[in-house]
Structures are given as C-alpha cells and as structure tokens.
Amino acid sequence: MTTSFPMNAGDGPYSFSKNSQLAREVLEGSKEMVRDAIIGKFDIKTMLSSSNTLCIAELGCSVGPNTLIAMQHVVEALKDKYLSQIMTNSTNNNLEIQVFFNDHVTNDFNTLFRSLPIDRSYYAFGVPGSFHGRLFPSRSIHFAHSSCSIHWLSKIPKELLDEKSPSWNKGLIHYIGASNIEVVNAYFAQFEKDMEMFFNARAEEIVQGGMMVLITPFSSYVRLMKFFGSSLTDLVNEGKLDESLVDSFNLPMYFPSVEDMAKVVEKNDCFSIEKIELTYPKSKLVDEADAKTLMINLRAVLEGLFINHFGSEIAKEACERTILKSEEISTWMKANYEKSCQLFVALKRN
C-alpha cells in the first residue's frame, strides 16, 4: 500500500504554495531543457495524426504556482512545435490541449485549481492517486512531466526499522549522512521497485512515440535535511521525545544518480533515453547560503511526515528549532559549499 505524503496545504505562512522557491529554482533550471526536448524530439505530427487533441500529464503536481508555470512552459513549447511542424503546411489551427494534474488523493487540489489562470490556453483536470501505479487509460497520454516528485518512495524499506537488520538506520532520518552502505542499498532497492511500477504504468498510458520528462534534485540542499534530524535528537536528549520514535522514522526519499536512473529505465525496456544528465543550474538560495528560506521551504515539504509520525506538537517544535538554527546552518553551508545540482531525463515511448 502506497503511503501519502502531501505538502503543507492551503496558503498559510508555512504552506507549500507560499514556500516553494526551491522547487521554482528546479523548474527554472530545467525550462530550456524541457523546451529543447519537445522542439527536438517530440513528433507532434504523428501524435496528431488521428486527433487534434494533445493530452499532457503533470505527475506529482502538489500545490502552488510552480506546477502551473511548468505546464505553461510545456504548453507553449508544444504550440511552437505545432506551428513549426504542422501549421506551415496546413490551415487547421484547432489544436486542443488537455492537462491532467496528478497527486495523492490528500493533495490540496482546491488550492491548486483556485490558482489556475482564467485565460489559460488548455483544459485542466485533477487526477488523484499515486503516480507509482496506473492513472490514465491505455495509450491516452502524449507527454508526461514530473519535477521534484520521482524521488518520493511509495513506502519506507522495512529493513531500516529492524534492529536485527544490517540496514537498521538508528539515530538517523535518511540515508544521506549514513555511513552504513546497507542503508543506502535498502533505499535504492525500494526506489528500484517503485520505478518498476512507475515505468510499467507509464508504458501502458503513454502512446508510442510519446515523451516523458523527469527532473529531480540530486544534492546541495538535500544534505540540509539532517538538521531536522539533529533537532529531533535534541528533543530526545531533553527528555521530550522517546528515542525509539526517532529510530523508527526515516524520510521516504531516494535521489537517483544518472546510473541509478539509467538502470531502471533500461530494465523496463519500454522507453528510449533521449537525454540524461546532471545539470548545475544557478541557485540563489544555495549560492547565498540563505538557510532560513531553505529550511522554511523544507518545512513545507517535510512537516506532514513529522506530524504523521511524531504528532503535531513535536513536529512543530522540531521544525521551529531547525529554523532557529539558520545562522549555524548558513555557516555550515559556506564551509561545505556544493553547487546546486539536479538530474534531467528525457524519455520516448518505444
């Protein structure tokens, strides 16, 4: 059973819609690459051979303006491709675009759809459900896009919670920072299982010749999640939190390398890799070591997980304590500087 991990809902001070600058940087850093993939690799003439409708899936849309901006970029690129490849030899200008916004059933779709621009040039639909499994009818999607989503695991590997297992991740909340390679291996094994389901589902849904673009963070601010772990440890040391609760908590995220992603795509054998690479887009937040903004952004992403495991009171205190460490974290970032980095993958359905 897939566990739901929604971002902070609504439009309050710690909501994802108000605190998603990190996700915006990932989006902006990949905008031209997404456009290049569409202009250079997407055969829109074949896609429209039997219909004037293009169907786009945004997988893991969450809430806030970022997903809408991402879809606007995709729609604009598709329209430019249409004008250059079809309209030069045709007077038919009846292209219709449908965008399906997907995320877990507990995602705040109300806030998302309230943000939709009235003058948008596409029809919009909400599709609740885990993107690890089937979402759409067979051969119905022409282009799929996912930014900052595929690193979410469907569940925590059970070995991490077993005291007798070599993968027991005692005292830590993630594999980043763990010295035990067995912990990393357990995370990757779960990622591999999840991606097998993901690619099998997309292989059924995406038409032959259709495309899928996946973007995910790879490093930099990902390392900052350990500071939330240190705040939990502080609460344990102060007697406010049971140590066993921390030992049984792990963040359900795996950030794949180029090799990891190539392996799962090739294993599925239904998609060809048109482009796969690590990119190094400029990140103002990372370059300026803006720790406070970074940690508030991460709070909007992670707080729901903390509430689910520790309860709202402990979750709130752990998040507030971490944000209060911003000056210390900023100093650490400057001393351990690492450029912002993300993984870009463009695939075509065989």
Side-chain angles (χ1 to χ4, degrees):
M1 179 179 178
T2 299
T3 307
S4 178
F5 308 116
M7 309 295 105
N8 279 357
D11 55 6
Y14 294 110
S15 64
F16 185 75
S17 63
K18 292 286 182 67
N19 299 283
S20 53
Q21 295 93 327
L22 273 173
R24 174 70 64 86
E25 288 188 342
V26 172
L27 171 64
E28 291 297 329
S30 61
K31 178 173 66 175
E32 290 305 315
M33 297 180 74
V34 173
R35 179 178 176 82
D36 290 347
I38 292 172
I39 299 299
K41 302 290 185 178
F42 189 72
D43 186 355
I44 199 167
K45 187 174 183 180
T46 299
M47 296 298 101
L48 294 174
S49 59
S50 60
S51 169
N52 69 334
T53 301
L54 287 178
C55 295
I56 306 169
E58 169 71 331
L59 305 171
C61 62
S62 190
V63 295
N66 290 342
T67 191
L68 306 180
I69 294 170
M71 285 301 93
Q72 192 58 44
H73 291 161
V74 169
V75 168
E76 288 172 1
L78 287 170
K79 285 191 168 185
D80 289 345
K81 179 74 171 184
Y82 175 76
L83 291 173
S84 66
Q85 191 173 348
I86 295 182
M87 284 301 293
T88 52
N89 300 310
S90 172
T91 58
N92 180 15
N93 190 22
N94 295 320
L95 176 65
E96 179 178 294
I97 296 178
Q98 299 178 357
V99 178
F100 298 89
F101 292 94
N102 156 256
D103 213 318
H104 287 288
V105 293
T106 51
N107 184 60
D108 186 3
F109 283 97
N110 289 332
T111 294
L112 172 64
F113 277 86
R114 282 200 301 268
S115 304
L116 282 170
I118 296 175
D119 60 346
R120 65 185 183 278
S121 56
Y122 56 84
Y123 295 95
F125 306 88
V127 182
S130 169
F131 59 69
H132 292 111
R134 285 292 300 271
L135 296 165
F136 307 103
S138 296
R139 306 289 182 267
S140 63
I141 300 298
H142 300 96
F143 188 90
H145 176 274
S146 182
S147 177
C148 296
S149 296
I150 62 165
H151 57 267
W152 286 95
L153 302 179
S154 64
K155 60 182 179 181
I156 292 296
K158 62 181 183 300
E159 305 94 306
L160 302 179
L161 311 179
D162 183 358
E163 295 183 25
K164 298 179 181 178
S165 168
S167 303
W168 187 34
N169 201 25
K170 178 177 172 56
L172 298 174
I173 66 170
H174 198 236
Y175 71 87
I176 292 180
S179 59
N180 184 357
I181 190 62
E182 296 296 336
V183 172
V184 180
N185 290 342
Y187 265 96
F188 175 69
Q190 185 61 50
F191 174 77
E192 200 171 22
K193 292 175 186 175
D194 288 346
M195 286 297 99
E196 181 178 6
M197 292 190 296
F198 176 85
F199 283 116
N200 285 342
R202 301 296 84 76
E204 291 292 327
E205 297 165 350
I206 296 176
V207 301
Q208 185 175 11
M211 291 191 67
M212 178 162 57
V213 168
L214 308 172
I215 307 120
T216 189
F218 184 69
S219 61
S220 302
Y221 73 80
V222 173
R223 302 176 301 160
L224 301 179
M225 292 188 295
K226 69 178 185 180
F227 289 101
F228 286 93
S230 68
S231 293
L232 291 170
T233 300
D234 291 344
L235 290 169
V236 170
N237 293 336
E238 294 170 18
K240 295 182 178 180
L241 178 62
D242 192 289
E243 185 178 16
S244 63
L245 275 175
V246 177
D247 291 341
S248 60
F249 178 76
N250 289 271
L251 293 172
M253 302 175 181
Y254 182 81
F255 299 91
S257 65
V258 169
E259 294 75 18
D260 291 337
M261 185 56 72
K263 181 179 179 181
V264 295
V265 173
E266 290 164 3
K267 182 179 179 181
N268 173 264
D269 200 33
C270 291
F271 294 88
S272 61
I273 298 176
E274 301 298 314
K275 187 168 189 174
I276 181 168
E277 66 173 294
L278 286 178
T279 64
Y280 297 87
K282 181 174 176 58
S283 169
K284 183 178 180 181
L285 296 176
V286 172
D287 291 345
E288 295 182 1
D290 185 354
K292 185 172 183 179
T293 301
L294 284 164
M295 303 320 287
I296 292 175
N297 272 228
L298 288 175
R299 175 179 183 168
V301 173
L302 303 176
E303 189 168 18
L305 293 170
F306 292 136
I307 291 173
N308 184 60
H309 189 82
F310 300 105
S312 57
E313 187 175 332
I314 289 294
K316 180 180 179 181
E317 185 165 357
C319 289
E320 290 178 347
R321 283 178 178 233
T322 306
I323 293 169
L324 287 173
K325 296 177 183 177
S326 293
E327 188 173 338
E328 171 195 339
I329 296 170
S330 180
T331 301
W332 181 88
M333 289 178 67
K334 292 172 183 176
N336 298 274
Y337 176 77
E338 185 176 303
K339 287 181 68 176
S340 177
C341 181
Q342 60 195 43
L343 177 65
F344 179 89
V345 187
L347 308 172
K348 181 174 284 191
R349 177 68 171 93
N350 296 332

